[in-house]
Every structure is written in structure tokens, then in C-alpha cells.
Amino acid sequence: MTIRNVVFATVAAVFAAGSAWSVEKTETSIALQAAMQRHIDRSVIDGALLDLDPATGEVRKLFPTKAHPMIVRAENFFVLCADLRDEAGQRFEVDYYLAQTPRGFRVFMTEIDNRQVLKDMMKAGLAEPY
């Protein structure tokens, strides 16, 4: 599922939501997915996201391929995940950390191929599925 398809699927869920809490959660999910997509769109250079491989010092090109529908919530921020692929097809998971601002949600941190940060927060009870 592409990132845009996740946003459209989330929009469709608004119409299936029955309670006010479900509608609010769905609206928040839509806003988060849209903010992540805007961040990705603004970060793309010649069709790819550039990432520094800390082991080699090489700048690698990573291509967005799929957004994950699950959203994780912490006290003051959310985490959304997606898949990237390099030119050889190797998969990299990316976690986007978003905070709410007066002008909407903004990505404040990106972890590429480092799921441990999120796992540690969830294990400590600091974050959970939204």
C-alpha cells in the first residue's frame, strides 16, 4: 500500500466511524498521514530521500514505497512508519516522529533503519499503538 493509499483509506474510515472518539481519532490519523506525506514530498531530491550511511559515510538514495497504517502515540508526539528501498531493492524501515504545532503536525525526528528507539519506548510504556 502506498503512502497516499493509506491516507485515502484513513479518510474512508471516517465514514465508517460510529463514535465521536472514532471520528476525532480518524481526523487525527488523516492529519498525521498528510503531514508525513508533505514531509516526504518536501524532502525528496531527484526522486529519492538521501540518507547518510554512518558505517561507510556514503550518501545513499532511498525511495518511499509503502506507508504502514499503524500509528504509535506517546504523551507529546506520534510515530508513523513507512518502508523505503535503495537502488538495489534493499528495504529500510523509517520512523517519523511528529509533534503537533499551532500550524498542524510536523516531523521533528526521523529514524531510518533504527527501530530500536521506538521499541525501547514501547517496552518502557512510553508509547503505544494509537
Side-chain angles (χ1 to χ4, degrees):
M1 182 176 281
T2 67
I3 292 169
R4 285 192 171 91
N5 287 345
V6 171
V7 172
F8 292 130
T10 306
V11 169
V14 168
F15 298 106
S19 70
W21 180 83
S22 293
V23 171
E24 181 181 328
K25 181 178 176 184
T26 301
E27 289 172 350
T28 299
S29 297
I30 292 167
L32 286 162
Q33 292 287 352
M36 180 180 73
Q37 184 61 50
R38 278 191 307 275
H39 175 77
I40 291 169
D41 289 347
R42 284 191 297 254
S43 301
V44 167
I45 299 171
D46 293 330
L49 298 169
L50 302 182
D51 181 56
L52 179 65
D53 182 342
T56 65
E58 175 188 352
V59 175
R60 57 190 170 200
K61 290 183 175 184
L62 302 176
F63 303 91
T65 58
K66 183 175 100 173
H68 299 189
M70 187 174 92
I71 297 172
V72 175
R73 182 182 184 135
E75 185 175 344
N76 296 316
F77 60 90
F78 294 87
V79 183
L80 283 77
C81 310
D83 288 344
L84 306 174
R85 297 216 183 256
D86 67 9
E87 294 173 303
Q90 180 180 349
R91 180 177 168 256
F92 296 84
E93 291 181 321
V94 58
D95 296 328
Y96 292 102
Y97 291 73
L98 295 94
Q100 190 164 19
T101 73
R103 294 179 15 193
F105 291 101
R106 301 286 179 156
V107 173
F108 67 89
M109 186 170 96
T110 302
E111 288 287 342
I112 296 176
D113 210 28
N114 182 13
R115 180 61 41 93
Q116 197 59 47
V117 174
L118 181 57
K119 286 181 180 179
D120 289 348
M121 286 191 313
M122 292 181 80
K123 186 175 180 181
L126 301 173
E128 62 184 26
Y130 181 55

